[in-house]
Amino acid sequence: MKKIIVLCLLLLCFQWSQAQKTNNHKWDFNDLEGWKYGHQDNNPANQCEIKNGILKIFTRAKSRDRKKICTVDKIYTSGRYTWKTYIPQMGKHDQASVGSWIYYDDHHELDFEVGYGTSKARKEVGAEDNDMLVYMTSQDFPFTSVPIKIKPGWHIFEIDLKLVREKYYATWLIDKKKRHEAQLQFGSEITFHIFCSVENLLFLGDQIPQQENYGLYDYVKYKYHE
């Protein structure tokens, strides 16, 4: 009887793994098929444009725009999440962020948020005039947030989730280099949307933005692994 139970469990695990592999996908942004808007502001304009396979999201000067797109499906679990994202030279002191992140709810969110940063934060990481700050954050369970400096330009941002004793172990990588990691307190019962965003967020600067800020996305990719 025990052997039968073990075999059934192994079969279920195999079926689950095979099912999750069908979620592997790469979005090249020739269109927004498979994505939806997830804006969190009072501005009805989408402010998302596609040209030559590049997605541009932007926010207006002197606004609290929070422009986002996310995958229609909320099905992604352990695996490698990849964004090829362009970080511009953003407005000096502007409270603006280019985001590449995954989200279940406000307590289960892992992200890269890139902006100019506050004067205090820039001083702490030794940022030069043309450096931006990137925050690598788990919003809860546990909360952790680590800023580092980064140069403007195209970057590969990756969040890797693997299962360790049935809980996610998260690794944040930038241009294939590990920059932060954390053992999380939840596992594959939490499934994610994938997000791209540009938002005028308070914590990433000292003033309401004085210019239009933007981010570009060449592609987003998800590849399942346990």
Side-chain angles (χ1 to χ4, degrees):
M1 184 65 177
K2 288 182 179 179
K3 289 183 178 180
I4 294 174
I5 293 173
V6 169
L7 287 172
C8 288
L9 288 173
L10 289 173
L11 179 60
L12 286 172
C13 289
F14 175 77
Q15 290 174 335
W16 167 256
S17 176
Q18 292 302 109
Q20 287 300 102
K21 285 180 180 178
T22 65
N23 295 331
N24 291 353
H25 202 88
K26 182 181 179 184
W27 297 271
D28 290 311
F29 292 126
N30 296 309
D31 53 41
L32 286 180
E33 183 178 355
W35 295 76
K36 63 181 180 179
Y37 296 115
H39 308 320
Q40 199 173 0
D41 56 32
N42 295 319
N43 171 17
N46 287 324
Q47 293 170 200
C48 297
E49 304 171 351
I50 289 177
K51 185 177 181 180
N52 298 325
I54 302 294
L55 168 67
K56 177 182 180 181
I57 307 176
F58 65 94
T59 55
R60 301 168 299 163
K62 299 182 179 180
S63 78
R64 290 298 176 199
D65 288 348
R66 300 183 65 183
K67 299 303 177 186
K68 313 175 185 183
I69 65 166
C70 69
T71 54
V72 172
D73 295 324
K74 189 180 186 180
I75 57 176
Y76 303 101
T77 56
S78 59
R80 181 69 64 100
Y81 298 80
T82 304
W83 298 258
K84 184 177 181 182
T85 307
Y86 182 81
I87 306 300
Q89 183 72 49
M90 301 173 77
K92 190 174 182 179
H93 304 299
D94 279 2
Q95 295 167 330
S97 166
V98 177
S100 306
W101 45 295
I102 58 177
Y103 179 88
Y104 175 80
D105 61 24
D106 289 348
H107 298 286
H108 304 83
E109 175 185 333
L110 306 171
D111 52 39
F112 292 96
E113 296 280 5
V114 189
Y116 189 82
T118 64
S119 298
K120 179 176 182 292
R122 292 180 65 82
K123 184 177 180 180
E124 288 173 350
V125 302
E128 300 176 355
D129 286 347
N130 67 336
D131 284 329
M132 299 294 103
L133 299 193
V134 51
Y135 282 81
M136 295 162 287
T137 301
S138 166
Q139 294 293 343
D140 213 342
F141 305 120
F143 171 77
T144 176
S145 188
V146 173
I148 62 170
K149 58 187 178 181
I150 192 173
K151 295 297 184 185
W154 285 104
H155 294 282
I156 302 294
F157 296 108
E158 295 180 284
I159 295 173
D160 190 85
L161 296 182
K162 65 179 180 180
L163 289 171
V164 177
R165 296 183 295 277
E166 299 184 352
K167 304 296 182 184
Y168 291 137
Y169 190 90
T171 304
W172 288 256
L173 304 98
I174 302 176
D175 300 325
K176 303 300 182 179
K177 184 176 180 180
K178 184 191 301 182
R179 305 311 299 260
H180 183 43
E181 55 191 330
Q183 177 64 62
L184 306 182
Q185 297 164 3
F186 54 90
S188 54
E189 72 278 6
I190 298 299
T191 60
F192 296 99
H193 288 293
I194 306 172
F195 272 83
C196 305
S197 65
V198 180
E199 304 178 78
N200 290 348
L201 297 179
L202 295 174
F203 83 95
L204 269 165
D206 296 314
Q207 66 185 13
I208 192 167
Q210 300 299 298
Q211 68 174 47
E212 177 183 297
N213 289 293
Y214 70 94
L216 303 179
Y217 297 86
D218 185 10
Y219 64 80
V220 173
K221 183 167 59 174
Y222 170 78
K223 186 174 182 180
Y224 171 77
H225 65 68
E226 293 184 355

